[in-house]
Amino acid sequence: MKLKHIVIFFWIFIFLSAGTFSDLKAEVNDSDPGKLAYKIMKMADSHKRKGEIKEAGKIYMEAASIYKKAVKSDPGNRIYKNNFKYCLGTRGFIQIKHAQKLFKEKNFKEAAIYYKGAETSYKYALLELPDERNFKTNMKYAQFHGGTANFEHILNSKGKIPPFKLEGFTGRKITSEILKDNVILLEFWAGWCPSCKKSMTMLQKLHKKYFLKGLTVLAVAMDRVKTWKKYGSEKKAVETSKNHNFSFAWGTEKTYIDYGNFNSIPTVLLIDKKGNFYKKISSEERTEENLSKIIETLLKK
C-alpha cells in the first residue's frame, strides 16, 4: 500500500545566485568587518561555482563569523544581516545539492556523508538564527534523506544493521542485541493496512516452520510514527497481533529513518545471524516459497 508523501520543498535562498551580491557592497571603512566579510563571502561563492563543496563550506563559515561581528557593530544594517544568513544557509544548501547528485549516481556512502554534513551545518545555523524556519525545514530534509542514503549503503554492502531498541506489544523491550545469533525476518507494517494483515498469515507459517531452527519473525508496527499513524490504527494493530504468536513491537521515528524511510508497507527485510542485512524483499518476491528458500539458506550459514 503506497504512502502519499507530502513533497518537501526546501528553501532556495533569496541571495543564492553568485551575482546577487555584486550590487550589495556596503559603504564601509577599512576597519569595518563587513568589508572583509564580503570579500571572503565572494571567495566562497567562487569555490561553490567550481563545485568545491568542502572548501566553500569552510569559507562561508569564516565569512559568517565575521558578518556576525559586523551585525553586532551595526545592528540595523540589512545587508549584513542578509549576508550573515546567506553564508550560514548556503553552507548546508550546497551540501544537500551535492548529496542529491551522489544519491542519483547511487554513491550512497558519500551521499550519506554530505547529508550528515548538511544536517550539522543547519544545526549550527539554528543556534545563530533559531527562528529561521527554512533552516529547520532543510535540516529535517537532510536527516530524512541522509537516513535513506545510509540505509541503502549498508543494505547494498550487506553491512551491520542499525541497532534498535523497541517496545514490544507485551511491554518487554525487543533489541537487536537480544536477537543476535538469530536469522531475523523484519516486517514493517501498520494496523490500518489491508495487505499487511494478509501477510501475517504467511509470517505465522514461517514462524511455526523455522522458529525452533533459529528464525525470529519480528513485525514492527508503525502506527505510532506520525508519517504512518491513522486514527484508531494502534488498536487495530493490537487486535491483529492477538491471532499470531511471533514477536510484535512498536516502531519509532528513529527506526523509520534508520531503516530506509520506506514509502510502502509491508516492507520486509532479512537479516543474517551476524546481524548483517541480507536482502530487502520486493513485493514480487514476498511469497512463502521464496522466503522459505532464503531463510533455509541463512539458517545453514
Side-chain angles (χ1 to χ4, degrees):
M1 181 174 292
K2 295 292 181 181
L3 175 68
K4 294 181 180 178
H5 279 299
I6 297 174
V7 178
I8 300 175
F9 292 98
F10 55 86
W11 183 40
I12 307 297
F13 294 99
I14 297 173
F15 300 103
L16 188 60
S17 64
T20 302
F21 291 95
S22 60
D23 299 323
L24 292 181
K25 289 184 178 179
E27 294 181 3
V28 293
N29 298 322
D30 290 342
S31 60
D32 194 313
K35 188 173 183 179
L36 175 60
Y38 178 81
K39 291 180 179 178
I40 295 173
M41 181 184 69
K42 295 303 292 181
M43 188 186 304
D45 284 341
S46 176
H47 284 286
K48 173 173 71 72
R49 288 193 298 272
K50 296 174 184 176
E52 297 166 352
I53 308 302
K54 291 182 180 179
E55 188 64 23
K58 291 177 184 178
I59 300 173
Y60 277 126
M61 279 300 294
E62 185 179 348
S65 178
I66 300 172
Y67 267 124
K68 184 177 180 179
K69 295 177 183 177
V71 171
K72 188 175 182 179
S73 65
D74 187 1
N77 193 308
R78 180 181 62 84
I79 293 174
Y80 291 172
K81 289 180 179 179
N82 284 336
N83 288 6
F84 177 53
K85 181 168 68 174
Y86 168 81
C87 290
L88 287 174
T90 304
R91 180 189 180 209
F93 183 78
I94 60 177
Q95 288 172 307
I96 284 177
K97 295 297 289 182
H98 191 60
Q100 289 174 328
K101 176 178 178 292
L102 290 166
F103 192 93
K104 287 180 180 178
E105 295 169 351
K106 299 189 182 302
N107 188 345
F108 300 120
K109 182 179 181 180
E110 287 297 312
I113 291 171
Y114 276 93
Y115 276 126
K116 186 65 178 178
E119 179 187 344
T120 301
S121 295
Y122 281 116
K123 281 182 179 178
Y124 176 81
L126 284 166
L127 291 175
E128 298 293 337
L129 298 174
D131 297 326
E132 192 59 52
R133 292 173 60 188
N134 296 308
F135 288 177
K136 294 177 183 178
T137 299
N138 288 7
M139 184 180 73
K140 289 180 180 179
Y141 181 95
Q143 287 174 331
F144 186 89
H145 291 280
T148 303
N150 190 56
F151 170 79
E152 291 294 340
H153 165 61
I154 299 173
L155 182 65
N156 289 346
S157 61
K158 298 188 184 298
K160 291 287 183 184
I161 63 170
F164 58 79
K165 185 177 183 179
L166 304 173
E167 179 187 345
F169 277 22
T170 61
R172 70 186 180 93
K173 294 297 180 184
I174 300 178
T175 70
S176 49
E177 182 64 20
I178 290 173
L179 298 181
K180 69 178 182 179
D181 301 326
N182 283 13
V183 172
I184 303 171
L185 190 161
L186 187 62
E187 175 166 306
F188 293 96
W189 69 294
W192 52 262
C193 167
S195 55
C196 297
K197 290 180 181 179
K198 290 179 181 179
S199 76
M200 293 296 155
T201 301
M202 178 180 65
L203 295 185
Q204 181 63 39
K205 289 180 180 178
L206 292 171
H207 166 75
K208 184 177 180 180
K209 189 175 181 180
Y210 296 111
F211 174 69
L212 294 178
K213 296 180 181 180
L215 173 71
T216 295
V217 175
L218 176 59
V220 179
M222 303 303 290
D223 302 276
R224 292 182 177 179
V225 178
K226 184 178 179 181
T227 308
W228 296 96
K229 187 178 180 66
K230 290 188 178 183
Y231 179 76
S233 61
E234 284 189 45
K235 184 177 179 180
K236 291 178 181 178
V238 173
E239 286 300 316
T240 299
S241 72
K242 291 178 180 178
N243 298 320
H244 310 286
N245 59 2
F246 49 85
S247 298
F248 287 84
W250 297 110
T252 64
E253 191 71 37
K254 184 178 186 304
T255 312
Y256 180 40
I257 293 173
D258 285 348
Y259 283 77
N261 303 308
F262 41 86
N263 61 6
S264 66
I265 50 176
T267 287
V268 177
L269 299 165
L270 280 167
I271 300 161
D272 69 19
K273 294 178 183 178
K274 296 180 180 179
N276 298 320
F277 279 123
Y278 182 75
K279 189 176 180 62
K280 182 177 181 180
I281 307 299
S282 67
S283 56
E284 295 79 15
E285 296 174 310
R286 204 180 303 132
T287 65
E288 183 182 347
E289 181 182 4
N290 183 61
L291 287 172
S292 293
K293 288 179 181 179
I294 299 173
I295 290 167
E296 287 174 8
T297 298
L298 290 174
L299 288 171
K300 292 174 183 176
K301 289 187 175 183

